[in-house]
Amino acid sequence: MERKRETIIHQQLGSYDQTVFDSVEEAGHYKLASEGKYGWEMPADTATEVVLRHSIGKNVMELGCGWGNTFTLPALERGASEVYAIDITAEHVSEKSPMVSIAESLGKSDHLHRILVRPQWWHTGLLREPTVKELLRNHNVDVFNPEENVNETPPDNSLDLLFARHSIQFGTVQSTLRVFDLASASLKDGGSFMSINFTPYTNYLYKFDNGNTISHISEMNRQFEDGKIAVPGGFLNGQYGPTGLTLQKVVGREDLGQESTFLYFDRPTIHGLLDLWRETRERRSLPSDLTLNDDYYFTPDRIAQFNKLYDGPEDIQNKENYFFQLLKIA
């Protein structure tokens, strides 16, 4: 069946075409919590393609690699020098993972390095300058099987690019600060930390009470940016989140569990997180060597029609994904 195509003009991504679907299911918003564990299986997007262009001939690391289909394997195929793949699921980085066999078929086995960490790895505090190995291999790290060559951490200050796609949004403020620490320890001067965080829950938040909650969250995010509150409004957690809402309640899915957390990213949130990270670095007498270089919203090709299926305000449409890039400065 022929699909309608429309051209999108984006100030950062330029001009590109996207397919318009007739239903939420066709647009990709139907598979929840099974293979993807945390959310919808999202299609590849234009911004990921932009990130992949930065991997050619470079040392790169993907945080939350999954099966490697979106970034790790394409980076290897396109000629990345060394690729480090980190995940919390043992099957994704085991010797029997399809990621390993595909790397072998590409003749790139020696360039793929796998790291397994527990979901809680980022909560361990360090009061001094942490190394990459300490940030990834401490007492909270579950070594899957040393005989299978897992947990090959990169040397400090050796990466050109650290990439996290649809992963850090399912953490906390503390976990995000730890990821920033990892970026600082692992990146070369001039290296980039790029992250894409999807926000399909924007629609759920709007429908929850006809926009009152999403407006309240946006205002609290601005207060977080100004240092007036300690946690951004978009942190969904029944016990610690400012709104008291859980992802389970917003989405209406009991199977998500009350412990599920979600961190809604927007520009005030990332500014506030960076300011908070700099404060923690100063208290530890560590350099604040990350700066925000670029950020923007975008909607993947297959999600175009999703935004047309509800009567939300224009200022929250086309905000399915939020991209940001941090640079490590000397």
Side-chain angles (χ1 to χ4, degrees), residues 85-94 113-119 121 136-137 140-145 150-153:
I86 306 176
D87 207 88
I88 63 174
T89 302
E91 290 80 6
H92 290 163
V93 295
S94 76
H113 313 279
R114 294 164 287 130
I115 303 169
L116 179 72
V117 291
R118 288 182 182 176
W121 68 268
L136 294 175
R137 297 183 66 178
N140 263 345
V141 173
D142 180 17
V143 178
F144 173 61
N145 190 334
V150 175
N151 291 327
E152 299 180 71
T153 60

Side-chain angles (χ1 to χ4, degrees), residues 43 47 89 111 119 146 154 177 182 187 206 216 306 311 328-329:
T89 302
H111 302 276
L177 301 184
L182 178 61
L187 291 173
Y206 180 76
H216 187 42
F306 177 73
D311 297 323
K328 181 177 177 180
I329 55 178

